[in-house]
Amino acid sequence: MASEPMTTQTTSWFGSTTEQSGPRSPPQYALVASETIDLESSSSELITSVVEALIDVIEPAGGQTTLSLYEYVDPDALENIIEASASKQSDVEVRFTIEDYLVTVRSDYTILIHESLGAHSDASEKFRHK
């Protein structure tokens, strides 16, 4: 019995799904984690959820269980943008990179973590969906 090929969902920094070639092609990322936070959550839970999702995927060296977002993005500004967008029911997403990962936080309280296709040989093996 032949198995069906596994499809990997990919994106680029700007969300383009078109293939480009050449020396200046934008990096491509494969989705490795997706989590939607309960909409009843307070904004302080948003940052905690982002950090927990990142720690699950990145698996910091030495069993580290904390991650400082301040090195990559202003957590207060992220909370303010997402909270304001959610209260106005406008669709907004904030994207930033941490190491070889592209993190997207949407105003519907969805967190998407994409791994650079150049970072590891098979990012699709790490895919998980909460």
Side-chain angles (χ1 to χ4, degrees):
M1 183 176 191
S3 64
E4 293 183 28
M6 180 174 268
T7 303
T8 302
Q9 181 181 352
T10 63
T11 190
S12 67
W13 178 259
F14 295 105
S16 172
T17 58
T18 60
E19 292 293 323
Q20 297 183 12
S21 60
R24 302 202 128 228
S25 295
Q28 292 289 306
Y29 297 89
L31 182 66
V32 294
S34 174
E35 182 174 344
T36 300
I37 303 165
D38 181 7
L39 295 178
E40 299 297 316
S41 297
S42 69
S43 61
S44 63
E45 291 179 19
L46 173 68
I47 298 304
T48 302
S49 296
V50 170
V51 170
E52 288 173 355
L54 283 165
I55 288 173
D56 287 347
V57 171
I58 295 175
E59 300 172 3
Q64 181 180 350
T65 58
T66 61
L67 175 69
S68 175
L69 283 184
Y70 283 104
E71 295 176 34
Y72 307 98
V73 67
D74 181 341
D76 296 328
L78 177 61
E79 281 181 351
N80 292 338
I81 291 169
I82 298 302
E83 185 178 274
S85 300
S87 69
K88 293 179 182 178
Q89 297 180 357
S90 63
D91 295 330
V92 169
E93 64 180 34
V94 176
R95 290 183 175 205
F96 56 95
T97 57
I98 294 181
E99 297 177 12
D100 292 323
Y101 297 90
L102 173 63
V103 181
T104 303
V105 181
R106 294 182 174 161
S107 56
D108 66 357
Y109 296 99
T110 299
I111 302 166
L112 303 172
I113 302 174
H114 293 82
E115 182 176 32
S116 172
L117 290 177
H120 297 292
S121 60
D122 190 6
S124 63
E125 289 181 13
K126 292 175 66 175
F127 179 83
R128 64 185 178 83
H129 183 78
K130 285 187 178 183

